[in-house]
Amino acid sequence: GWDNSYLCDVLQAHPTRFAGVCLVDPGDPRAPQELARWNRAGCQGLRINLIAQRDVDWLLAAGMRPVWSQAIALNMSLSLQMLPAHAAVVAELAAGCAELTIIIDYLGPDAFHVAAGRKAVRALARRPNTMYKVLALGMDSHEPHPYRDLWPLYETAAEAFGAERLLFGTDFPHVYLTGSYGAGAAWLGELPFLDDAERQMISDTNPRRLWRFPEERG
């Protein structure tokens, strides 16, 4: 549900090892207060899952402005699990909240296999406050490791966003559905359109800057 207590316990126990992204009910009138509550407990971001929703225009409603304003005031990012069909609305949100860092956490399984996925990536990349996550999503691939059918979308992302606005993730724990954690963690090295400096930026420099750890955190 919306209880992030376990996450925050871990953050307090290991403040230099983990960064926290919390869940808050965006339809709750107290959402800004809840966001502040979890931020005080150590969370640095908010995640909203839009995958099952056809209409996401509510992201642009006046009633959501206090949530986005609170996130900006607290220097919290917004991670979105979304579909290519949501790209226009999310791009408009990014344009209207230029101080809010929006992370495209996931574009759904079909994005890798249809032109709409690459079109959405290009549209979202036009907003300078957006970032995109490169995930080792073996379960969305129609091929065995190293999942070459995922590469075209990520190559488009690398061209459109640039390495300085990409993040890497293993998709833990779902990575275990198709292989080992070690293989997932090393998967970025399989992508032939990235050089070593870009891989370092995507897997280390960018998340270190975004989540402000460990040097920048006390």
Side-chain angles (χ1 to χ4, degrees):
W2 311 111
D3 185 355
N4 303 280
S5 299
Y6 174 76
L7 167 64
C8 293
D9 285 347
V10 173
L11 295 176
Q12 290 169 18
H14 306 280
T16 63
R17 186 169 184 179
F18 297 105
V21 177
C22 66
L23 301 179
V24 169
D25 182 358
D28 185 343
R30 288 187 50 80
Q33 291 89 337
E34 286 295 291
L35 200 57
R37 170 193 175 195
W38 297 118
N39 176 257
R40 288 193 298 271
C43 292
Q44 297 186 55
L46 166 66
R47 175 178 289 137
I48 297 177
N49 190 337
L50 305 171
I51 293 289
Q53 301 183 36
R54 180 185 297 269
D55 181 4
V56 298
D57 286 348
W58 59 267
L59 292 170
L60 306 175
M64 288 302 299
R65 186 67 203 194
V67 180
W68 312 142
S69 296
Q70 182 75 293
I72 292 169
L74 297 171
N75 197 20
M76 297 179 77
S77 61
L78 170 64
S79 294
L80 295 175
Q81 295 168 314
M82 53 181 284
L83 298 174
H86 302 149
V89 172
V90 173
E92 187 173 346
L93 174 65
C97 298
E99 297 177 77
L100 178 63
T101 297
I102 298 177
I103 301 165
I104 312 305
D105 216 1
Y106 182 46
L107 275 176
D110 294 335
F112 296 101
H113 311 292
V114 296
R118 293 187 291 279
K119 181 179 179 181
V121 165
R122 294 188 186 99
L124 292 161
R126 294 189 189 106
R127 305 312 314 172
N129 54 321
T130 59
M131 301 184 74
Y132 187 81
K133 189 176 287 186
V134 177
L135 295 166
L137 288 165
M139 64 180 184
D140 287 348
S141 175
H142 300 158
E143 301 181 10
H145 187 275
Y147 320 129
R148 287 182 173 84
D149 55 339
L150 306 185
W151 294 3
L153 182 68
Y154 288 144
E155 184 170 16
T156 298
E159 293 170 352
F161 283 87
E164 67 276 5
R165 288 198 285 145
L166 297 181
L167 301 164
F168 174 62
T170 62
D171 196 38
F172 175 86
H174 305 296
V175 65
Y176 287 122
L177 295 175
T178 54
S180 69
Y181 181 81
W187 182 74
L188 200 65
E190 302 282 355
L191 305 185
F193 47 86
L194 297 175
D195 61 30
D196 288 343
E198 290 170 328
R199 294 186 185 101
Q200 176 73 13
M201 187 177 295
I202 295 166
S203 64
D204 184 85
T205 307
N206 296 345
R208 197 179 292 274
R209 182 183 71 248
L210 177 68
W211 304 122
R212 304 184 294 281
F213 74 94
E215 292 88 355
E216 291 83 354
R217 295 174 69 182

